[in-house]
Amino acid sequence: MYEQLYDITIAESRSAHLQGHLLLEVGQTLFAYTVLDAEKKLLQLRVYRIAIPANGDLALEVGHIIRGEPALQGSYESTTIVYNFPENVIVPETGFSAGNGGALVELMHGDLNKGITLSERIQGRSFYNVYRVPLDVHRLLQRQYNHGKSWHYYSLWRLLEDRRETPDSTSFCVTFYPNRLMVMVTRDNVLQLVQAFEYEVAGDVAYYLLNICQQLLLSPESVVMHLSGMIDESSSLYLEIIKYFGKAAMDHFAYATSVPALREYPEHFFSPLLNMALCVS
């Protein structure tokens, strides 16, 4: 089963969509998409939460969403599929080959979950992202968008951080979804960690972040932390974070303030999805 969490619709015209850019983000508990026109102006953005019981069929739920969304039918100037599944491993270029990807993912995450192993070289970096995606989900999206380009979320995220206007040599980037956060840590311009965590209460998040600092020998008081996604400055979650991390701050995303329909949300709220769409369109 699934439920729609957010709906921002500015234009539903098929003529506008045909010349535009579609980006879909697909994970185990989330499906989101955004459509930009040829001038990279927002036309539509929707976010769904997916709840799959044990032995449930994620591809079935994703298929239901796609068939129920007129914006997801037909062709676009470009289509990008972003897989946001946690089973991945970052491999130095010297240790990667086309034949060892599956073994590397199994070594890190086990073989309980079956799927197809994909890989991509992260632009501007000398390493590969190797990851596993449910096979039936991949086949569904390849049939529906056979001319689309696919990425793993972490690969695009790393690329976006490399393009940050004033990059920090050592930083935490933390992105929030409902009951889920993703953390990417860079130290001295070298990627140290990229990982997803499930949480129930604000204290869980503080524990994860403090534990990462301890493992990497970083000081919570001095680390620069960029927060984005579905978190609000008035929330107990944000207050718990700044209790320990004095340099934590919400990311600034000027694009959001230029779109009237987005102004009712914090400007960083949809920045991960929109940043990716702007990057690849």
Side-chain angles (χ1 to χ4, degrees), residues 123-280:
Q123 294 182 18
R125 296 276 172 166
S126 58
F127 48 75
Y128 280 78
N129 188 3
V130 186
Y131 54 97
R132 188 158 55 200
V133 174
L135 179 59
D136 50 357
V137 173
H138 183 67
R139 285 175 172 169
L140 167 68
L141 295 174
Q142 290 299 302
R143 287 195 303 268
Q144 185 73 32
Y145 307 105
N146 58 346
H147 296 297
K149 163 72 175 176
S150 64
W151 290 82
H152 191 271
Y153 187 103
Y154 295 166
S155 302
L156 275 182
W157 194 13
R158 180 67 260 170
L159 178 59
L160 286 167
E161 289 305 315
D162 283 342
R163 294 180 178 180
R164 187 181 286 274
E165 186 174 336
T166 54
D168 303 292
S169 63
T170 300
S171 67
F172 270 52
C173 296
V174 186
T175 297
F176 289 90
Y177 289 90
N179 300 111
R180 186 168 185 259
L181 73 150
M182 294 183 295
V183 184
M184 180 166 57
V185 182
T186 302
R187 181 168 57 188
D188 298 328
N189 295 314
V190 177
L191 180 66
Q192 301 292 309
L193 174 144
V194 57
Q195 191 171 348
F197 302 91
E198 305 296 324
Y199 73 91
E200 294 184 5
V201 297
D204 296 340
V205 174
Y207 170 80
Y208 292 135
L209 297 178
L210 290 169
N211 187 55
I212 290 170
C213 282
Q214 182 180 39
Q215 295 297 319
L216 298 179
L217 303 177
L218 294 171
S219 166
E221 295 80 12
S222 60
V223 70
V224 177
M225 182 173 291
H226 302 283
L227 307 177
S228 64
M230 298 172 188
I231 178 174
D232 191 277
E233 287 181 298
S234 63
S235 66
S236 59
L237 178 56
Y238 178 74
L239 296 176
E240 184 73 8
I241 292 171
I242 63 172
K243 184 191 305 182
Y244 302 101
F245 296 89
K247 293 186 177 180
M250 301 297 189
D251 259 351
H252 176 68
F253 186 53
Y255 182 90
T257 61
S258 67
V259 181
L262 291 175
R263 290 176 189 165
E264 63 180 281
Y265 301 97
E267 67 179 60
H268 58 271
F269 211 69
F270 301 111
S271 62
L273 183 65
L274 288 169
N275 267 327
M276 288 188 294
L278 291 167
C279 176
V280 301

Side-chain angles (χ1 to χ4, degrees), residues 37-69:
D37 69 12
E39 298 179 347
K40 298 192 176 185
K41 295 179 180 177
L42 179 65
L43 299 177
Q44 195 163 16
L45 183 154
R46 285 182 178 168
V47 179
Y48 289 85
R49 190 204 322 256
I50 302 175
I52 303 295
N55 300 317
D57 191 337
L58 178 61
L60 181 65
E61 300 300 322
V62 170
H64 285 326
I65 295 173
I66 291 174
R67 287 189 294 273
E69 287 278 5

